[in-house]
């Protein structure tokens, strides 16, 4: 028995709750439904649903398990919405789904795992989205696929789709209008017949794998070095041995920044202090005169005067004349250097 419910064009923002739960065909097109969590809860009651039409609504994202209770669903039409993101498990539970219409949306990327749960899917409509590449992953066994109106990039990323289109019994509808947009040399060529050599793509993949391998080896060596330098355990207060967490890559950046700051500070400090150090080194051999030194000089002078011989019959000035004669030689150096510093 087929039970049809038609709620199209009623400006609905939510799925009505007063619908018969035994409905098999539900049409909610041309409304303002965004498929919120409350809408998904209502859909879970329609376990007998085989056809669901939600085209021309305002759905933007298909979250995981959006239709998980509709195990008998055969046709799902969610075209002419605003869908830009499709999560990997958005169609989980739709084991009987045969036709899926996602046309006239804003989808830019579809992961190959999105359709792996759709083992019965035979017709897939993806026309007029923003797809540049698409991968067909087993066990997906399509009979008809519609891909026109997308900006396809006919490079190695599209090789998987080309092989799937030519090697299987899959029919691509509107093949003549399903053309490449990039690169310019392939423009207006059908994506099925675009010149894309598998050998060239294999060479590119091999070089890419080598690059990834070398990067992985470098990261492995770095992690091994960190593991060797990091102690395995430390005895805690409770007698346990908690392991240290592995250091992240941010510590190298932090060390670099600290080294740069310290070296810059040292250079600035050296540049400021160099003139002071230079003057200090130049004047290092100078010795400042002190009052004690002058007193010692007077004492030495008095000692020299006392040791001079006296001449009888002379007045008080004779010893001075005798002193001048005795000390008529070159005076001894006193160890002081006259320069601007003494002045």
């Amino acid at each position: 028995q087929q039970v049809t419910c038609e709620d199209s064009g009623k400006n609905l923002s939510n799925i009505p709750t007063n619908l018969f739960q035994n409905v098999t065909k539900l049409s909610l097109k041309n409304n303002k439904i965004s498929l919120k969590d409350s809408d998904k809860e209502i859909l879970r009651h329609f376990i007998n649903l085989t056809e669901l039409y939600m085209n021309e609504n305002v759905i933007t994202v298909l979250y995981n398990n959006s239709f998980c209770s509709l195990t008998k669903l055969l046709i799902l039409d969610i075209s002419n919405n605003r869908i830009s993101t499709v999560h990997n498990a958005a169609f989980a539970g739709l084991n009987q789904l045969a036709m899926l219409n996602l046309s006239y949306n804003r989808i830019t990327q579809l992961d190959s795992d999105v359709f792996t749960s759709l083992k019965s899917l035979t017709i897939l409509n993806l026309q007029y989205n923003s797809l540049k590449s698409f991968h067909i992953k087993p066990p997906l066994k399509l009979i008809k696929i519609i891909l026109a109106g997308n900006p396809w990039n006919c490079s190695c990323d599209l090789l998987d789709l080309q092989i799937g289109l030519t090697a299987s019994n899959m029919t691509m509808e509107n093949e003549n209008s399903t053309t490449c947009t990039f690169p310019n040399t392939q423009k207006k060529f059908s994506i099925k017949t675009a010149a894309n050599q598998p050998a060239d793509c294999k060479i590119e993949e091999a070089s890419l794998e080598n690059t990834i391998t070398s990067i992985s080896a470098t990261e492995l060596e770095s992690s091994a070095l960190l593991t060797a330098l990091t102690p395995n355990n430390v005895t805690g207060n409770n007698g346990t041995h908690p392991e240290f967490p592995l250091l992240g890559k941010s510590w190298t950046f932090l060390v670099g920044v600290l080294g740069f700051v310290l070296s810059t500070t040292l250079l600035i400090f050296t540049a400021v202090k160099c003139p002071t150090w230079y003057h200090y080194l130049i004047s290092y051999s100078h010795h400042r005169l002190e009052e004690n030194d002058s007193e010692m000089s007077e004492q030495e002078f008095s000692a020299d005067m006392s040791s001079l011989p006296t001449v009888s019959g002379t007045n008080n000035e004779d010893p001075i004349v005798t002193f001048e004669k005795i000390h008529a030689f070159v005076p001894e150096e006193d160890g002081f250097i006259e320069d601007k510093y003494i002045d």
Side-chain angles (χ1 to χ4, degrees):
Q1 183 180 2
Q2 183 175 0
V3 179
T4 304
C5 181
E6 184 72 31
D7 269 339
S8 302
K10 294 184 178 181
N11 205 25
L12 300 174
S13 58
N14 297 290
I15 298 177
T17 58
N18 57 351
L19 301 177
F20 294 106
Q21 294 184 3
N22 63 342
V23 63
T24 59
K25 181 180 179 181
L26 177 61
S27 178
L28 297 170
K29 64 181 181 179
N30 194 17
N31 284 293
K32 295 182 179 180
I33 300 173
S34 59
L35 201 60
K36 298 186 292 291
D37 291 338
S38 58
D39 296 326
K40 289 188 286 185
E41 287 294 330
I42 296 172
L43 282 178
R44 289 176 181 175
H45 296 91
F46 304 129
I47 56 176
N48 295 321
L49 201 62
T50 58
E51 298 181 24
L52 176 60
Y53 300 91
M54 297 186 67
N55 47 313
E56 300 179 30
N57 278 279
V58 292
I59 303 172
T60 57
V61 180
L62 290 178
Y63 294 100
N64 292 334
N65 303 313
S66 295
F67 313 97
C68 59
S69 299
L70 308 180
T71 56
K72 297 182 180 180
L73 195 65
L74 300 176
I75 300 174
L76 176 59
D77 188 350
I78 43 180
S79 60
N80 284 281
N81 277 273
R82 303 172 185 176
I83 301 172
S84 59
T85 304
V86 181
H87 290 198
N88 286 351
F91 305 112
L94 301 181
N95 299 324
Q96 303 297 324
L97 190 66
M99 191 187 79
L100 175 60
N101 190 351
L102 286 169
S103 61
Y104 293 94
N105 279 290
R106 303 172 184 177
I107 304 172
T108 57
Q109 185 178 1
L110 275 175
D111 193 274
S112 57
D113 294 330
V114 172
F115 306 109
T116 52
S117 61
L118 304 179
K119 300 178 181 180
S120 302
L121 188 65
T122 56
I123 301 174
L124 178 61
N125 191 345
L126 294 173
Q127 66 178 345
Y128 292 99
N129 278 279
S130 299
L131 294 169
K132 294 182 179 180
S133 62
F134 179 65
H135 297 277
I136 297 178
K137 188 175 181 180
L140 195 61
K141 298 179 180 179
L142 296 173
I143 297 176
K144 184 172 71 172
I145 189 170
I146 309 171
L147 301 172
N150 287 281
W152 298 108
N153 185 0
C154 294
S155 60
C156 292
D157 292 336
L158 206 63
L159 182 62
D160 185 24
L161 177 60
Q162 290 178 334
I163 294 174
L165 291 174
T166 55
S168 63
N169 296 325
M170 188 188 315
T171 302
M172 186 172 65
E173 193 172 291
N174 301 324
E175 180 177 343
N176 294 331
S177 59
T178 309
T179 58
C180 304
T181 304
F182 307 99
N184 291 331
T185 55
Q186 304 282 352
K187 208 167 185 179
K188 302 301 180 181
F189 281 90
S190 172
I191 64 171
K192 188 175 182 179
T193 59
N196 205 359
Q197 299 298 327
D200 297 337
C201 294
K202 288 181 180 179
I203 293 173
E204 292 181 6
E205 290 177 358
S207 61
L208 180 60
E209 289 177 358
N210 292 334
T211 304
I212 295 174
T213 303
S214 61
I215 295 174
S216 301
T218 304
E219 292 178 352
L220 183 61
E221 291 177 358
S222 302
S223 61
L225 180 60
L226 287 175
T227 305
L229 294 176
T230 306
N232 291 330
N233 49 49
V234 172
T235 304
N237 295 331
N238 55 359
T240 59
H241 300 276
E243 294 184 357
F244 281 112
L246 292 178
L247 295 177
K249 294 181 180 180
S250 59
W251 70 272
T252 55
F253 176 76
L254 179 60
V255 171
V257 171
L258 289 177
F260 175 78
V261 171
L262 291 177
S263 60
T264 305
T265 305
L266 182 61
L267 288 175
I268 295 173
F269 180 80
T270 305
V272 171
K273 290 296 183 180
C274 263
T276 305
W277 293 342
Y278 175 78
H279 291 302
Y280 178 76
L281 292 175
I282 290 299
S283 61
Y284 182 76
S285 61
H286 296 169
H287 182 66
R288 183 183 297 276
L289 291 175
E290 300 181 6
E291 295 180 359
N292 295 333
D293 295 339
S294 60
E295 293 175 359
M296 291 178 62
S297 300
E298 293 178 358
Q299 293 175 4
E300 290 176 359
F301 177 76
S302 299
D304 291 340
M305 289 291 292
S306 63
S307 63
L308 291 175
T310 58
V311 180
S312 61
T314 60
N315 53 18
N316 293 333
E317 295 178 356
D318 290 338
I320 298 175
V321 174
T322 306
F323 172 78
E324 291 175 355
K325 291 180 180 180
I326 294 172
H327 293 276
F329 55 87
V330 179
E332 294 181 356
E333 294 182 359
D334 54 4
F336 300 107
I337 301 173
E338 292 187 7
D339 59 0
K340 295 181 178 180
Y341 182 78
I342 295 177
D343 295 338

